[in-house]
Amino acid sequence: MSRVESIPGLVQQLQSLLIELNANPYPHVPNPPKCKKRASVALVLRIRPTFPDQAGYGAARFDKHISPQHKLESFFSQAWVQHGDPEVMFIKRAAREGDRWTSHVALPGGKQDPQDEDDRTTSVRETMEEIGLDLSQQHSQFVGNLPERVVTTAWGKIPLMVLCPFVFLLTRYDIPPLRLQPTEINSAHWVSVRALLAPSLRTFERCDVSDRLSHRGGELLRVFLRLALGQMLFAAVRLIPSESVYCSSVRDFIPEDSKSIRTSLKQKATELISGDHAASGSRDRPLLLWGLTHGIVADFLDLLPSYRTFKLWSWPTFSPWDVRLAVWLITYSFRKRKLRELESGLGNSPTIIEAGSDGTGPVESRDIHGVPHRVDMDGLGLSNRGKPLARRLRSGAVGHMFDGYYRLLRKAIAMAVLLRCGAGVALAAFILQRVRARGRNVL
């Protein structure tokens, strides 16, 4: 067996990225008025030793008094690290009825408790509670943070919480076994950064968005929108874990008999009326990274100096061909302009004071002039993510691509509905005319 087919220079560029993140933290985002909740997630990295360097693996001991930068440099100077495979920890949430995010892929983390000292403390505590990984120990190095996000209601303007992503690096591979919290976590997975960057693993997540387009219209309007618009397609990454840990105490750890889990006509009708949220909790559901967790990871990957990761992302659209065509036509010039701006380097915005994203709604960020930017909940985000002036790494590519996209998307939906209505009226008129003509011929 030989060493893994790694991306040239990936470990070295990851080292540079982590040192830059440590030296240039993103600013703190205060809570908006009437919004008191905060939450934090942990993006946990490790280096997997590869054959034949496994034989030379050793857990390095670092002087606790040295600076984080020197600790990172010492860690990455080891031979097994230089030839290793960088990985990110993901969790699959437990299946819970009525939970929109049931069985979704996420980063470990959760809401801030009153006793938490700060946002970083929240990420450490939640990671320990959810998967039993202690990020306060010596084998874990806090690196820095990613842009903080103000999470709002679906396609709305009401702030729900501020989400704060933090980056940690495990400096040893043989950490204690994970202990998963069965009420919250179904499984935990280590996924190679190479897989996150692989074009062959790009796919789509289908999502019912009728309830997000009709907040006050009732179930009848939701069913109409579900029939008219189908499902919304969001960019996603199919995760192929290198190592997985499953919670064996959950009810669906051992699958039921195949006959008992076949989808009946009644279940299909229920999904049509109430949406497809229940179906998302299936154990057979593939591991898909999408939505705002995808956005957080995209923020991180986009900072890798030599990888133009925005070329891997896709624009959200809808499943029906006519709606998809309307979206393509209305957003065509917008998409071309955004890509030209990114290619020419205009996509990098100034330093943002606050930026954000996580699970349930659009995200708001502000630039140095205090002008808010919007980020939608299930896309990759619309915020103009920026970079400190001292940082030479790219930032904001994905956010810049989506800034203003959803406004055009709503126009495309309206156009598609009008075209359908017009086609329906024309067809009805044609049929009526034929019926009348046949009647006159009979007489």
Side-chain angles (χ1 to χ4, degrees), residues 100-340:
R100 176 182 298 281
W101 311 111
T102 180
S103 298
H104 280 201
V105 171
L107 298 171
K111 295 180 181 179
Q112 187 177 76
D113 283 349
Q115 65 269 24
D116 291 336
E117 181 180 348
D118 52 26
D119 297 317
R120 176 179 157 189
T121 302
T122 302
S123 68
V124 173
R125 176 185 56 78
E126 284 286 339
T127 302
M128 182 63 184
E129 291 178 359
E130 290 186 340
I131 62 175
L133 178 59
D134 192 350
L135 297 177
S136 64
Q137 294 297 312
Q138 189 175 6
H139 63 256
S140 173
Q141 173 62 45
F142 169 68
V143 175
N145 67 333
L146 294 172
E148 300 179 358
R149 292 139 161 86
V150 177
V151 182
T152 68
T153 53
W155 288 30
K157 299 180 179 180
I158 302 175
L160 299 176
M161 68 176 71
V162 177
L163 178 72
C164 310
F166 295 93
V167 180
F168 296 85
L169 172 68
L170 301 184
T171 57
R172 57 184 298 170
Y173 173 73
D174 55 343
I175 60 173
L178 301 178
R179 302 186 307 276
L180 308 187
Q181 165 55 260
T183 60
E184 298 185 36
I185 309 300
N186 183 288
S187 55
H189 309 272
W190 287 106
V191 178
S192 172
V193 173
R194 294 181 297 120
L196 298 175
L197 292 170
S200 60
L201 296 179
R202 301 290 149 173
T203 183
F204 291 95
E205 166 69 341
R206 294 175 176 268
C207 183
D208 173 39
V209 294
S210 59
D211 54 347
R212 298 163 197 175
L213 296 174
S214 58
H215 304 299
R216 300 177 183 177
E219 286 298 327
L220 202 57
L221 179 57
R222 291 188 176 96
V223 172
F224 169 77
L225 290 173
R226 208 166 287 132
L227 292 172
L229 300 178
Q231 293 177 312
M232 196 167 182
L233 306 180
F234 292 99
V237 180
R238 183 166 61 91
L239 301 183
I240 301 179
S242 62
E243 182 179 336
S244 299
V245 178
Y246 294 88
C247 187
S248 60
S249 61
V250 297
R251 184 180 59 182
D252 62 343
F253 176 68
I254 299 178
E256 300 176 12
D257 181 74
S258 59
K259 294 181 180 180
S260 64
I261 58 175
R262 290 177 181 171
T263 303
S264 64
L265 292 176
K266 182 178 179 181
Q267 288 174 311
K268 290 182 178 293
T270 302
E271 289 179 15
L272 176 64
I273 296 174
S274 60
D276 60 352
H277 312 315
S280 65
S282 171
R283 178 177 171 81
D284 298 328
R285 175 185 173 88
L287 290 173
L288 292 182
L289 174 65
W290 72 286
L292 293 175
T293 301
H294 189 194
I296 293 174
V297 176
D299 280 350
F300 179 75
L301 295 177
D302 186 55
L303 293 174
L304 290 170
S306 297
Y307 302 100
R308 305 189 70 78
T309 54
F310 68 87
K311 292 184 177 180
L312 299 177
W313 315 123
S314 302
W315 307 83
T317 186
F318 289 87
S319 54
W321 70 268
D322 56 337
V323 182
R324 194 184 311 173
L325 178 62
V327 171
W328 186 85
L329 290 173
I330 287 185
T331 64
Y332 180 80
S333 60
F334 171 88
R335 290 181 284 112
K336 292 296 183 182
R337 174 172 57 85
K338 289 290 185 178
L339 290 175
R340 285 196 303 269

Side-chain angles (χ1 to χ4, degrees), residues 277-428:
H277 312 315
S280 65
S282 171
R283 178 177 171 81
D284 298 328
R285 175 185 173 88
L287 290 173
L288 292 182
L289 174 65
W290 72 286
L292 293 175
T293 301
H294 189 194
I296 293 174
V297 176
D299 280 350
F300 179 75
L301 295 177
D302 186 55
L303 293 174
L304 290 170
S306 297
Y307 302 100
R308 305 189 70 78
T309 54
F310 68 87
K311 292 184 177 180
L312 299 177
W313 315 123
S314 302
W315 307 83
T317 186
F318 289 87
S319 54
W321 70 268
D322 56 337
V323 182
R324 194 184 311 173
L325 178 62
V327 171
W328 186 85
L329 290 173
I330 287 185
T331 64
Y332 180 80
S333 60
F334 171 88
R335 290 181 284 112
K336 292 296 183 182
R337 174 172 57 85
K338 289 290 185 178
L339 290 175
R340 285 196 303 269
E341 291 174 353
L342 289 173
E343 290 289 356
S344 62
L346 297 178
N348 292 336
S349 62
T351 305
I352 58 170
I353 294 182
E354 319 299 350
S357 98
D358 174 35
T360 57
V363 177
E364 182 177 60
S365 64
R366 295 180 182 272
D367 61 20
I368 55 177
H369 305 293
V371 179
H373 303 289
R374 304 300 302 170
V375 177
D376 193 88
M377 54 174 294
D378 287 324
L380 290 177
L382 312 182
S383 69
N384 289 328
R385 205 168 43 80
K387 59 182 179 181
L389 297 179
R391 183 180 298 167
R392 298 180 60 189
L393 302 181
R394 272 182 310 110
S395 64
V398 176
H400 181 78
M401 284 172 60
F402 286 85
D403 191 6
Y405 179 74
Y406 281 88
R407 175 175 52 82
L408 298 177
L409 199 65
R410 284 189 283 268
K411 290 184 178 180
I413 293 172
M415 185 181 84
V417 172
L418 288 175
L419 288 176
R420 284 186 179 184
C421 291
V425 170
L427 179 61

